Amino acid sequence: MTKKVLLLFIIFSSIISNAQKLENCSECSSVKYSELDIRNNELFELQLLRNEIFARHNYSFKNQRLEKHFLNYDWYKPDYNNSIKKVVLNAIEEFNIQLFKTKEEKIKKNRELLINELEELKVAIEKNDAFFIKTFLNGVIDDNNESLKRTLLSAIHNVLNSININDINWHKGKAQYEILTDNGFSISSKGIYIKGNSITIMITDPMKHSDLMRNDDAFEYPSDYYSESENTSGAELEFKNGKLILINLIFAG
């Protein structure tokens, strides 16, 4: 009985979660949506929803990729004589457009704050800012375990100091900056990987054998490469209430 209740709860939670993501704007001219309805929509999805309102008025987009996207739908019949100034929107459409724009700006601002906090974390480690670091560690590492703390912070600082934090780029709700190094023997990687408010900072050294070696001879003479030497270290973080906090440690190999 308990298992059935739990299963029903999971299914119901899934339905609720999916309901908080708007899939299309077919009713945007007659339904006023709320922020709850678009709670789980990514930035690019909100941009598409906003532009779909104009597409449903047969607007011809100057952006060729937007035009190509909407041409996949039978209902889109672009009027190449119809400029945006001629598109007449009703009050509900205007409301929804503003709703989408507001949420878009919130996402952009959150990304900006996240990037700034990564810079702050880098500086805090360099200056050994005890208060910042204690807040960041979030109790995941025991205060008395100085060795593990130094190892983790050193790995994080290594990555943050190696990459251009302000050049991290986003695509469909994900972002990353990764550096791959092939020294002729092995390939190592260090990077930062972001999905929403979840951040992974990771070093893998070595990650695999050099591209100089074919897969079928990487483990034969004269190569000295051993997969047993592959090693990964890093951390999983969360950006919460404007602050980065440690969630999990990553040590493998």
Side-chain angles (χ1 to χ4, degrees), residues 72-221:
N72 290 317
Y73 299 94
D74 292 338
W75 52 259
Y76 181 53
K77 308 294 183 184
D79 179 358
Y80 295 102
N81 296 316
N82 186 14
S83 70
I84 196 166
K85 292 181 181 178
K86 294 180 181 178
V87 174
V88 179
L89 305 175
N90 66 31
I92 295 177
E93 290 171 317
E94 294 277 11
F95 175 89
N96 287 327
I97 285 174
Q98 190 55 51
L99 174 71
F100 300 149
K101 281 185 175 180
T102 300
K103 183 62 184 294
E104 288 171 40
E105 291 306 314
K106 284 184 179 180
I107 293 174
K108 290 177 183 178
K109 184 63 177 177
N110 187 72
R111 291 179 178 180
E112 181 183 329
L113 292 173
L114 190 160
I115 296 299
N116 289 341
E117 192 68 6
L118 284 169
E119 286 281 9
E120 291 290 330
L121 176 59
K122 174 185 170 182
V123 173
I125 295 174
E126 289 172 351
K127 294 184 176 180
N128 195 26
D129 185 329
F131 178 76
F132 190 104
I133 291 173
K134 183 177 178 63
T135 302
F136 165 72
L137 292 177
N138 192 36
V140 174
I141 298 178
D142 189 279
D143 289 339
N144 297 320
N145 198 336
E146 289 295 330
S147 177
L148 180 57
K149 188 187 302 183
R150 284 195 301 270
T151 299
L152 174 68
L153 294 177
S154 176
I156 291 175
H157 186 262
N158 186 340
V159 174
L160 296 181
N161 201 43
S162 299
I163 70 173
N164 183 349
I165 295 175
N166 292 305
D167 195 32
I168 294 173
N169 289 280
W170 299 78
H171 180 68
K172 291 189 174 182
K174 298 179 181 179
Q176 72 176 52
Y177 194 114
E178 183 179 40
I179 298 172
L180 297 176
T181 303
D182 187 338
N183 64 4
F185 175 71
S186 64
I187 296 176
S188 61
S189 73
K190 61 177 67 174
I192 182 165
Y193 314 90
I194 307 172
K195 182 178 180 181
N197 287 323
S198 299
I199 305 99
T200 300
I201 298 177
M202 195 161 60
I203 298 174
T204 304
D205 184 24
M207 181 173 69
K208 62 179 183 177
H209 58 76
S210 168
D211 283 342
L212 282 179
M213 308 174 193
R214 301 190 310 272
N215 286 333
D216 58 357
D217 71 5
F219 302 101
E220 297 177 359
Y221 187 85

